[in-house]
Amino acid sequence: MTVRLDSIDVKILNELQRDAQLTNVELASRINLSQSPCLARVRALEDAGVIERRVTLLNPLTVGLGVSVFISISLEKQIDGALEHFDRTVMALDEVMECYLMTGDADYLLRIVVGTIQEFESFVTQKLTKIKGVANIRSSFALKQVKYKTVLPISPSKEGDSPRVSRPKTRRLGKRQRGSRLGET
């Protein structure tokens, strides 16, 4: 389900997509919002499933995984049982970074990473060809990664587009109340 995002939500998400390690204090400062409402919005975005998880991105070359391969898979039959079996099996393969059920000539498109051509050969012969129902495997090696990004190009939603992110009601405090609430006199 798509949720409606306002301009503040988009600012929060863009900052967190660039650096998920930001503290709430840093995030609030960057988007020009006080800390408490900022944290409430982040939690609401998490509760709504907009923020799924936070990860650390590794450079594959520095960890010995410089070979990126796109593999098109065709199954013998495109019936529910065969698709479900392939899905479950591929989910368990660490080399598979992405897997898509496709339209067109192939049933699936995989992106895998390995360290060497020999590891790729072993992956194909020892794992992919052993999956029941696989009829055809075609591979294309990436020569160079021209663009890779993880930041989604989001923008504020238009009115009526989708359900709004549910946020807790906040009460505005006067200057005197804010000071006493923060322990200031």
Side-chain angles (χ1 to χ4, degrees):
M1 169 173 67
T2 303
V3 296
R4 193 170 16 158
L5 303 172
D6 65 19
S7 62
I8 295 171
D9 294 331
V10 170
K11 287 179 186 177
I12 288 170
L13 294 169
N14 283 332
E15 290 296 332
L16 289 175
Q17 284 189 101
R18 286 184 193 92
D19 185 357
Q21 291 183 328
L22 286 176
T23 66
N24 186 56
V25 172
E26 293 169 323
L27 178 61
S29 173
R30 286 187 185 188
I31 64 167
N32 200 25
L33 190 65
S34 56
Q35 295 172 26
S36 185
C38 181
L39 183 59
R41 280 178 174 262
V42 170
R43 287 186 176 151
L45 290 164
E46 290 171 338
D47 292 344
V50 176
I51 298 174
E52 196 172 284
R53 65 184 182 270
R54 299 176 194 210
V55 299
T56 299
L57 300 176
L58 305 179
N59 179 336
L61 297 174
T62 65
V63 294
L65 295 171
V67 179
S68 189
V69 186
F70 294 88
I71 304 172
S72 297
I73 305 282
S74 296
L75 301 180
E76 293 170 353
K77 298 177 184 174
Q78 294 78 23
I79 57 174
D80 285 343
L83 297 172
E84 290 166 6
H85 174 73
F86 186 84
D87 291 354
R88 277 193 314 275
T89 305
V90 166
M91 292 295 288
L93 301 175
D94 291 335
E95 299 89 346
V96 177
M97 302 303 296
E98 298 175 73
C99 176
Y100 300 95
L101 180 61
M102 305 294 291
T103 62
D105 294 335
D107 297 311
Y108 286 92
L109 178 65
L110 311 179
R111 182 177 73 86
I112 71 154
V113 294
V114 290
T116 65
I117 300 296
Q118 292 77 21
E119 289 175 13
F120 170 70
E121 177 189 5
S122 176
F123 175 78
V124 170
T125 60
Q126 300 303 311
K127 295 179 181 180
L128 278 187
T129 60
K130 307 280 188 209
I131 300 174
K132 183 181 176 189
V134 169
N136 190 21
I137 300 170
R138 288 183 320 210
S139 305
S140 296
F141 286 80
L143 298 177
K144 176 175 109 173
Q145 186 177 68
V146 176
K147 181 175 182 178
Y148 172 78
K149 69 179 208 170
T150 60
V151 177
L152 294 173
I154 58 174
S155 59
S157 303
K158 297 177 183 108
E159 280 300 314
D161 275 356
S162 51
R164 190 159 200 51
V165 173
S166 169
R167 292 185 194 84
K169 300 285 184 201
T170 55
R171 186 174 67 122
R172 290 212 180 276
L173 300 175
K175 187 174 183 179
R176 182 179 201 109
Q177 291 171 305
R178 276 196 303 264
S180 62
R181 184 173 176 203
L182 299 172
E184 300 169 2
T185 56

